[in-house]
């Protein structure tokens, strides 16, 4: 059967990708952030999965705001990198894994998650920046096929933290039921605390972020119990993206081993975090 071997939680701030694309990773404003990625990148380079799943949100680049599914999953053979208005990032297009995608669609729908299925999809920075955090120099291709799993964090009402955690648990069961012996890495993206508009524009909450990074490892159910309103109050209107970390964590075992974590403020006007977990020594949730 298939196995989730690791989970990676990371912010997907677009300026992180821009700093990489423009050779600014050693700039004094950015060096500490990228130095914080180094231990995770070194470990990941030695533990390449056969397939990766990226849990992310589109930013009105691959999906029109007139149609925003609560949850969606890509089944394509290839995903083009979106042009977000200033040219596409100089990174490879993404090769999919239609066989595993279709298995996940069937399994998740059978568990009463009514997914929108994307046979064509352009992926934006919410997807490509986490791939770059993982693999800064992909060359002509990313390390393995990648499947996009979309979550609505843009339009109210977003799915609850509890629903996202439950989706992750169902995702883990779906992966383990896949008949081929393959390894899978799951990336949960977004966050950390930030708010881009309104009276609290610029809001960042380091105390909350540190609590979240600790608790996502040890007691994700506590985080899943937070209401939508509490999460926005404590993490900011865009900080609700952290619900996508819960999808990743739900797909893993109850007990995981933290490999590395780091926290940086500010990346642009966002708190940026990374947390990497080894899933090979626990028990299925």
């Amino acid at each position: 059967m298939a196995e989730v071997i690791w989970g990676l939680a990371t912010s997907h701030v677009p300026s992180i990708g821009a700093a990489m694309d423009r050779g600014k990773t050693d700039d004094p404003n950015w060096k500490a952030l990228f130095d914080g990625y180094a231990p995770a990148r070194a470990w990941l380079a030695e533990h390449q999965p056969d397939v990766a799943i990226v849990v992310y949100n589109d930013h009105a680049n691959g999906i029109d705001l007139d149609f925003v599914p609560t949850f969606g999953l890509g089944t394509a053979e290839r995903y083009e990198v979106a042009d977000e208005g200033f040219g596409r990032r100089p990174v490879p297009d993404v090769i999919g894994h239609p066989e595993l995608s279709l298995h996940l669609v069937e399994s998740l729908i059978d568990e009463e998650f009514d997914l929108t299925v994307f046979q064509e999809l352009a992926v934006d920075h919410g997807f490509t920046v986490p791939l770059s955090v993982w693999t800064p120099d992909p060359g002509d291709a990313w390390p393995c096929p990648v499947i996009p799993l979309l979550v609505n964090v843009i339009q109210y009402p977003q799915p609850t933290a509890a629903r996202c955690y439950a989706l992750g648990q169902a995702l883990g069961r779906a992966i383990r039921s896949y008949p081929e012996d393959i390894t899978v890495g799951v990336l949960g993206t977004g966050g950390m605390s930030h708010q881009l508009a309104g009276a609290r524009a610029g809001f960042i909450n380091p105390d909350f972020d540190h609590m979240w990074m600790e608790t996502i490892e040890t007691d994700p159910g506590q985080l899943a119990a937070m209401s939508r309103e509490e999460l926005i109050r404590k993490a900011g209107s865009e900080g609700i993206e952290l619900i996508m970390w819960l999808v990743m964590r739900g797909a893993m075992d109850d007990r995981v081993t933290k490999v590395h974590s780091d926290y940086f403020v500010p990346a642009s006007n966002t708190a940026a975090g990374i947390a990497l977990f080894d899933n090979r020594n626990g028990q299925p949730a």
Side-chain angles (χ1 to χ4, degrees):
M1 65 179 185
E3 175 191 12
V4 177
I5 59 170
W6 54 253
L8 176 65
T10 178
S11 303
H12 62 218
V13 184
S15 57
I16 293 174
M20 296 180 65
D21 298 344
R22 298 171 186 175
K24 295 184 178 295
T25 57
D26 287 328
D27 184 285
N29 293 322
W30 286 108
K31 189 175 187 305
L33 174 105
F34 289 101
D35 286 349
Y37 290 163
R41 285 171 164 173
W43 189 91
L44 289 165
E46 296 179 356
H47 300 84
Q48 297 285 13
D50 296 313
V51 185
I53 298 170
V54 176
V55 185
Y56 83 109
N57 69 283
D58 179 75
H59 301 78
N61 294 299
I63 303 171
D64 192 278
L65 285 177
D66 290 336
F67 177 75
V68 180
T70 300
F71 299 120
L73 196 140
T75 61
E77 294 184 355
R78 187 182 189 91
Y79 305 93
E80 293 186 356
V81 175
D83 182 344
E84 301 185 45
F86 40 84
R88 54 167 285 166
R89 290 191 63 212
V91 296
D93 286 339
V94 177
I95 302 302
H97 195 295
E99 296 81 10
L100 178 57
S101 290
L102 290 169
H103 172 80
L104 296 178
V105 168
E106 181 177 0
S107 298
L108 292 172
I109 288 177
D110 284 350
E111 292 220 33
E112 301 183 352
F113 287 92
D114 298 325
L115 302 173
T116 298
V117 179
F118 290 92
Q119 299 180 49
E120 294 182 6
L121 180 67
V123 292
D124 69 4
H125 70 268
F127 191 93
T128 64
V129 168
L131 292 181
S132 294
V133 171
W134 166 19
T135 305
D137 299 303
D140 293 331
W142 299 106
C144 66
V146 187
I147 296 171
L149 198 168
L150 297 94
V151 178
N152 168 36
V153 299
I154 298 293
Q155 291 189 342
Y156 184 88
Q158 302 91 339
T160 63
R163 187 65 172 159
C164 288
Y165 187 48
L167 172 62
Q169 292 172 314
L171 176 65
R173 291 189 291 271
I175 292 169
R176 291 191 295 272
S177 70
Y178 189 63
E180 294 186 23
D181 291 330
I182 61 172
T183 57
V184 179
V186 182
L187 293 84
T189 75
M192 296 187 83
S193 63
H194 63 297
Q195 180 151 331
L196 301 180
R200 293 201 305 165
F203 173 80
I204 290 175
N205 188 348
D207 290 340
F208 175 84
D209 292 335
H210 287 296
M211 180 280 295
W212 185 278
M213 292 187 75
E214 177 180 344
T215 308
I216 195 82
E217 174 189 3
T218 60
D219 190 7
Q222 176 183 331
L223 303 178
M226 295 179 64
S227 69
R228 184 186 299 111
E229 291 74 19
E230 181 183 7
L231 187 51
I232 291 174
R233 183 170 63 252
K234 292 182 176 179
S237 55
E238 280 71 37
I240 197 173
E241 292 172 351
L242 288 166
I243 58 177
M244 296 185 288
W245 289 32
L246 285 169
V247 179
M248 174 276 296
R249 184 63 182 88
M252 304 177 73
D253 297 341
D254 285 340
R255 289 181 294 173
V256 295
T257 301
K258 182 186 287 186
V259 176
H260 175 69
S261 65
D262 195 63
Y263 182 73
F264 179 86
V265 173
S268 182
N269 56 359
T270 302
I274 183 172
L276 173 62
F277 303 103
D278 187 341
N279 193 52
R280 296 171 299 166
N281 299 311
Q283 296 296 323

